[in-house]
Amino acid sequence: MRNMALVRYIRNVTWARKRILHNNYSPRILTKRTAVTNTEPTKPTAVSIGDAVRAEFPVGEEVCGFVVRTVEEVKELHLTAVRLEHLATGADYLHVARDDANNVFSVGFRTTPMDSTGVPHILEHTVLCGSRKYPCRDPFFKMLNRSLSTFMNAMTGSDFTIYPFSTQHPADFKNLMSVYLDAVFRPNLVELDFLQEGWRLEHQDVNDQSSPLVFKGVVFNEMKGVFADSQRLFMQKLQNGLLPSHTYGVVSGGDPITIPQLTWEQLRHFHAYHYHPSNAHFFTYGDQPLAQHLKFINDNYLSSFDRIDPKTEVPEEPSWSQGRSDHVECGVDPMAAAAGGEGGQTSVAVAYKLVNITDSYENFVLHILCELLTSGPNAPFYKSLLEPQLGSGFSPSAGYDGHTRNTSFTIGLQGVRPQDVDQVLSIIDNTFQQVAQEGFPQSRVDAVLHTLELGLKHQTSSFGLALAMTITPLWNLDGDPVEALKINSKINKFRKCLDENPKYLQEKVRQYFLQNNHKYSLTMAPKPGYEEQLQVAEEDLLAQKVSALNEHDKIQIWEQGQTLAHKQEEEEDLSSLPTLRVSDINRTVSPTPVLDLQLAGGVNVQLCQPPTNGITYFSAVLDTQHVPPHLRPLVPLLCGVLTSMGAGHMDFRELDQQADLVTGGLHVDTHTAAHPYHVGHFDQGIVLSSHCLNHNLDHMLDLWSRVFTEVRLNDLDRFTTLVNMIATDLSNSLVYSGHRYAMTSAAASISHMSALQEEWCGLSWLRSMKSLSQKKDLSDTLEQLRQLAALLLNREGMRVAVNTTPDYHTQALSKLESFLSGLHATTTSSATHNNFSSTPVKEEFTLHTRKTHHVFPFPVNFASMALPGVPYLHPDVGALRVLPRLMFRFLHREIREKGGAYGGGAMATPGGPFCFYSYRDPHSTQTLATFSDAVEWVLAGNFSERDVEEAKLGTFQSIDAPVSPGAQGMRRFLAGITDKYFSEHRQLALDTSPQDLITVARTYLSLAPIQGTSLIGPHNEDIAKDGFWNTVHD
Ligand SMILES: [Zn+2]
């Protein structure tokens, strides 16, 4: 969580993870859809976009039913913000004009449920099932393939529901805005959609009237999956407990056992009051003209509404006169890193109610204060809680949460032994006492402010979207969203307060923590049989519901199941939906300005000069081909600890401090990339990356230089702490990223590169970290890491990429030259300066068919099947790349709509395998059969030219996802994909014909000689009896 809270303030990188939030769309969309460069808005234009909007929208002017309330420039973010109010309905509108082609639209509503039926969440799903103008089933999903959007999603938070999208195409923007607005203001909300998305009673086998009745429904299953993650359970309970009196006291996403209380009528009523313009916030961003947005929204939607009082005010939480505490139970986590030995699976945290979210400056100060308290090895809570190894990591929710009416701060530990809980609680108290006494060193405050300022300059690829997400919680609760963006004035005020009163922050600690009686302590411990207990509760509820049915009801349920099944099968008429065409996709690729050089006696350096806003980005790949097999599994661990152990005269605290003062962090990760055209060949290594303001480049390279030549891999205590933290993070990621683990595992037997990925970032890595975290003495491991570091940390086998501003590149290169010259040049290994012009060595690896069941006590499954694919420039790659998008139609219907899983689909990584997957899936082997059915469905050719066109559009959303200045040229640097190769690859995808799709489906999927299958999920009788499966228990 280091540096996250502050960075989130402007960039929101961990937004979805930190909060209690339910995204509607499948992980496919959530993962690889960050897109679109935010071109640095410094191009000299005759009239700046801000001036133009200022001239056109003077304060007080009436435009298309709206009146202009304020127009303000925020210089540090290069934007001009226009706030308007819709006269008839009171709808609130914010337009952010900025020279950025990646335009954003969002409409949001304050949704304040007072029970845990999940009504806002189910409504979010159901409005996307068809509307007046777009009466087809799920127009939202259909639009995914009729658009070149860079982001489309819908999200339910604790007190809001928002519908954002972004795209670079003006026509696409109009199309999507129309579909979004129709969905939220004119949804059909038919009962069958409620039953499908929310909950229903239905025969287990919908075609067998004698099969038992069970609960089904997308959200019902989704929420069972969500709360199978004990982290999420803890976060939910903590919020409910700290802010119990109003809407934060309930589960907005839905508590599975309460969801079946919701009726269709209640859903419609909730819609009428909450999805009303008088309760709406409209947001637009980018370089498109505001006037046309206003006209469209007013003429087509708002003009037909009157003003209502939606009664969605969220009051402040009344303050308590004394603290409260509670305990919850959860499932046993077999992957939990047992830091404290036996029984170390308890989580304990204390949450403090803080200020009203609308107090913008105080919020800012609390962000910084909480960052100082928790982030990085110099933070007091890091020292007092993490380092004594009383637990395996900070508790879920730890850190500042500025998203609710009253903001909050949570601190605690997970992986604690029950007998240590009281000690943890007293450490928390003592740490606050100590900070109130001693304060923070000035250098730490400077480091946190530096991170914030660097974050303002660092251009992300989805700035507008991050902006929309950042302002939503505050704006939703009637705070001033523009005021919140003025970071510089807050930084100045903050510095002034500190100058005037050196004890400023200490007083805040006293006020908000030591003298705050509104605090809530929560413990959570696993209970054997917890899942069974939930199961029994569900069965009891089911029995109760079923016993209340009369014969007539039963017939109705049977018929309703049939109707729903038929409706799901129906071919739909999508002619009402707008669409882009493949001809809207550019045939040409704009060139990346890169230059190849050799420095310091032969290190290959790629120089790229995009407009980086005064920042230099550095990356280096160190080849690992020569690492002996016994050390190779340790490569990801070396990555995990390399910049966290200290170097040279700096211990780990000092190194971290320096990194925060001059860089955006020193990052190290594993690297694999398939060769563009040699089958089975791939590049492997570790990749180092960091960025800094140009004038800090010397300092940044000096830090890397220390890491290369003097890394301190000798502090066993520190190392043990890090191992436990890594093991905990990995363990926590399993429920969230189960489909990724399943795919990696499935692919490991059919591709050599995937086998390495399994070792470095799959379940094998997770398991090896778990076992390391249980070892009493890690000195052997540390010794091996020293050997590995000695092999890797030199300039042999190294290549470097630098992205910097054109006027700085000469200086940057000379600094780089002296940095490289100072590194060790000799090694006993056979490594050579690597790049993709030389073919990486191909090792012996026997591909084979394998089926693996990883048994975990989850109530849902993650299934995957993997088949060998082709390289990036293979003639069949285009069709294989488009195929998953075509199959998505089939897979989505079978796995999500009928099967009740949260998501499912296929993915083709060029050079890597072709993978099918399902996500939070109630089915197991049945889904594997569905994967095969998807292949048959393609072979039968029951799809149209139009379907292929849509699949291509969908594919190009990811192929053409533009990149931020810091990431330009990285495709070439990391994977050897030049502009020429990229262009050829795009042509292959663009020129794919329907027949090509059938041919590759036959060649690579139907007739594949080998395949890998993997299932992550609970014990499974069928599989246990099947001799072809390997079963792995933890
Ligand atoms: Zn959902």
Side-chain angles (χ1 to χ4, degrees), residues 201-271:
L201 285 175
E202 192 175 276
H203 290 279
Q204 192 159 28
D205 176 352
V206 71
N207 294 315
D208 178 2
Q209 204 165 353
S210 66
S211 67
L213 289 171
V214 293
F215 287 122
K216 293 186 185 175
V218 174
V219 171
F220 180 79
N221 281 318
E222 181 189 334
M223 295 313 294
K224 276 166 72 173
V226 164
F227 290 126
D229 180 353
S230 55
Q231 302 265 312
R232 287 291 297 264
L233 180 69
F234 190 82
M235 290 164 76
Q236 182 69 57
K237 295 286 183 192
L238 197 72
Q239 177 172 310
N240 293 159
L242 181 71
L243 308 168
S245 71
H246 199 264
T247 193
Y248 307 120
V250 305
V251 184
S252 65
D255 181 353
I257 205 74
T258 313
I259 288 173
Q261 288 172 14
L262 185 68
T263 65
W264 178 45
E265 288 72 24
Q266 287 166 343
L267 185 87
R268 291 164 64 92
H269 185 261
F270 192 87
H271 175 265

Side-chain angles (χ1 to χ4, degrees), residues 319-324 513-520:
S319 290
W320 302 343
S321 54
Q322 66 183 67
R324 300 179 187 177
F513 302 112
L514 292 176
Q515 293 161 1
N516 184 351
N517 288 325
H518 196 122
K519 62 176 183 176
Y520 178 69

Side-chain angles (χ1 to χ4, degrees), residues 227 257 529-539:
F227 290 126
I257 205 74
Y530 175 78
E531 285 84 7
E532 290 76 10
Q533 195 179 311
L534 288 187
Q535 191 59 39
V536 167
E538 185 185 322
E539 278 160 17

Side-chain angles (χ1 to χ4, degrees), residues 794-975:
N794 53 67
R795 63 172 201 245
E796 304 300 320
M798 177 186 198
R799 65 179 192 266
V800 173
V802 171
N803 287 14
T804 191
T805 25
D807 59 5
Y808 189 70
H809 87 268
T810 320
Q811 280 163 284
L813 288 179
S814 96
K815 290 175 200 301
L816 194 61
E817 171 76 33
S818 61
F819 160 69
L820 292 171
S821 306
L823 303 185
H824 299 303
T826 52
T827 168
T828 51
S829 81
S830 59
T832 50
H833 296 301
N834 71 329
N835 63 20
F836 270 92
S837 60
S838 63
T839 308
V841 184
K842 189 177 177 184
E843 288 175 41
E844 281 309 307
F845 181 76
T846 312
L847 309 177
H848 58 285
T849 290
R850 189 173 71 189
K851 292 178 164 188
T852 314
H853 182 207
H854 304 277
V855 180
F856 289 99
F858 302 150
V860 288
N861 297 282
F862 302 89
S864 178
M865 184 167 89
L867 305 129
V870 297
Y872 193 78
L873 293 174
H874 189 282
D876 289 333
V877 79
L880 273 171
R881 190 121 195 216
V882 174
L883 192 56
R885 278 295 188 146
L886 181 73
M887 284 181 163
F888 184 70
R889 312 161 55 79
F890 180 88
L891 292 167
H892 177 73
R893 187 175 68 207
E894 298 297 319
I895 297 175
R896 179 165 160 134
E897 290 178 359
K898 290 193 205 164
Y902 187 70
M907 269 173 63
T909 323
F914 187 102
C915 290
F916 294 93
Y917 68 87
S918 72
Y919 189 72
R920 293 188 191 155
D921 188 351
H923 301 293
S924 54
T925 45
Q926 188 186 327
T927 297
L928 296 171
T930 304
F931 297 155
S932 303
D933 293 345
V935 179
E936 294 305 318
W937 176 80
V938 175
L939 293 181
N942 287 329
F943 53 87
S944 64
E945 291 264 359
R946 172 72 232 164
D947 298 336
V948 176
E949 173 124 346
E950 291 190 1
K952 285 187 193 175
L953 281 168
T955 307
F956 272 83
Q957 289 164 9
S958 47
I959 293 183
D960 278 354
V963 277
S964 63
Q968 275 191 34
M970 284 299 119
R971 184 165 49 210
R972 181 177 187 268
F973 177 68
L974 293 174

Side-chain angles (χ1 to χ4, degrees), residues 22-24 121 124-125 219 222 902:
H22 308 285
N23 293 63
N24 194 354
H121 183 190
E124 175 219 309
H125 279 243
V219 171
E222 181 189 334
Y902 187 70

